[in-house]
Amino acid sequence: VLTDWPGPANASLAGGAWLRIGYDDRYLYLGYNIGGMGPLKNTGQQWDRLFKTGAAVDLQIATDPQAPTDRKAPVAGDQRLLMTWQNGKPIAVLYNAVVPGTPPDKVWQAISPVAKVSFDQVTQLDNVRLATKTNEAGYVVEAAIPLTDLGLKPQPDLRLKMDWGVLVTDDSGNVVLRREYWANHATGVLADVPSEARLNPDLWGYILFHGSGEKIHDNLASPDLDKPAGNDKLLKEFEKDLDEDLKAP
């Protein structure tokens, strides 16, 4: 349980998952508390397709506040960060949908008989710091993500589209049984790679970045609510706690 994070969870899933979010001038901090959704295990061999092969936690976020909020296709700044433990080792993979100037031969694609999707850049983020612990109910994931890796510039009252979720696996960790997301509930497809990779920003919710020291309740909103949604205050002790978690056996 994320007992060292201040305040209540920022958002939750009915299936038994909670998320906390914070930021400072260098990092975006995420704390996932997952219960009743299987182990954090992924036996996949293709690092860019781990969303097909086992458990993961997911963040989908836009970085352009001027982008149309009802857009059905991603634009520059729309991205997905998938975090998991691939055969026991932490890995963070960033799927960046639109990067102007990307050569056609560098574009990542997934094609099936019924669909096609592309991302201009798919990369492993070596500077993301990840820690995990198991508990009686499931597991916890803590992440410190460099803002520069996301192209994200938080400031008070910045409102962006976002979503988060969990890929649920079984004890073997080699298949995705369910895709559970906070805002986007059109996630029933499990047998089509393009559909499972695709970003649907029109179905995301919102995040609102507060200033340091502000209260952090009621700060995430689903896409059908016309109100801000959110981020929490500066987590001053997070890096110290994460260091301790990383050193733990």
Side-chain angles (χ1 to χ4, degrees):
V1 180
L2 298 171
T3 56
D4 52 352
W5 288 62
N10 297 101
S12 63
L13 299 177
W18 292 264
L19 176 69
R20 287 179 169 86
I21 309 177
Y23 76 96
D24 60 19
D25 58 351
R26 293 187 297 163
Y27 293 99
L28 180 70
Y29 300 108
L30 303 173
Y32 297 81
N33 194 42
I34 312 298
M37 294 187 176
L40 181 58
K41 186 175 182 181
N42 196 311
T43 59
Q45 299 304 308
Q46 289 184 261
W47 64 267
D48 58 341
R49 299 197 177 209
L50 294 173
F51 59 86
K52 281 294 299 176
T53 54
V57 294
D58 195 358
L59 175 72
Q60 300 180 7
I61 190 168
T63 60
D64 181 4
Q66 303 304 318
T69 58
D70 61 348
R71 62 192 182 279
K72 295 185 180 299
V75 298
D78 291 348
Q79 51 202 319
R80 175 187 193 182
L81 180 62
L82 195 78
M83 293 164 285
T84 188
W85 266 251
Q86 181 188 24
N87 296 309
K89 295 182 179 180
I91 183 171
V93 182
L94 183 67
Y95 298 80
N96 208 331
V98 180
V99 181
T102 301
D105 61 338
K106 299 297 183 181
V107 173
W108 184 94
Q109 292 185 327
I111 302 173
S112 75
V114 297
K116 176 180 177 180
V117 70
S118 64
F119 287 83
D120 283 352
Q121 288 184 0
V122 176
T123 55
Q124 294 186 46
L125 299 186
D126 296 332
N127 294 322
V128 171
R129 304 174 68 193
L130 292 169
T132 187
K133 289 183 178 179
T134 59
N135 54 44
E136 292 182 358
Y139 59 89
V140 166
V141 173
E142 293 179 303
I145 307 153
L147 297 174
T148 53
D149 283 351
L150 299 175
L152 182 62
K153 298 179 180 179
Q155 57 185 328
D157 299 324
L158 175 65
R159 186 176 187 241
L160 300 171
K161 299 214 73 174
M162 67 86 67
D163 200 1
W164 65 278
V166 183
L167 304 185
V168 182
T169 191
D170 59 10
D171 290 341
S172 65
N174 60 17
V175 65
V176 176
L177 300 178
R178 302 196 313 276
R179 299 187 294 141
E180 301 282 353
Y181 283 82
W182 167 68
N184 178 9
H185 301 296
T187 56
V189 176
L190 294 173
D192 183 67
V193 174
S195 299
E196 294 170 73
R198 180 176 289 110
L199 300 184
N200 299 104
D202 57 319
L203 301 180
W204 296 353
Y206 296 90
I207 181 168
L208 177 68
F209 291 87
H210 297 303
S212 176
E214 293 189 31
K215 292 183 178 180
I216 56 175
H217 64 280
D218 192 28
N219 51 8
L220 290 176
S222 58
D224 56 342
L225 299 178
D226 187 22
K227 67 177 183 179
N231 198 300
D232 62 49
K233 68 179 180 180
L234 173 66
L235 304 175
K236 296 181 180 179
E237 299 298 322
F238 180 84
E239 286 193 88
K240 178 181 177 181
D241 295 334
L242 183 56
D243 283 335
E244 293 175 355
D245 291 340
L246 288 168
K247 293 175 183 177

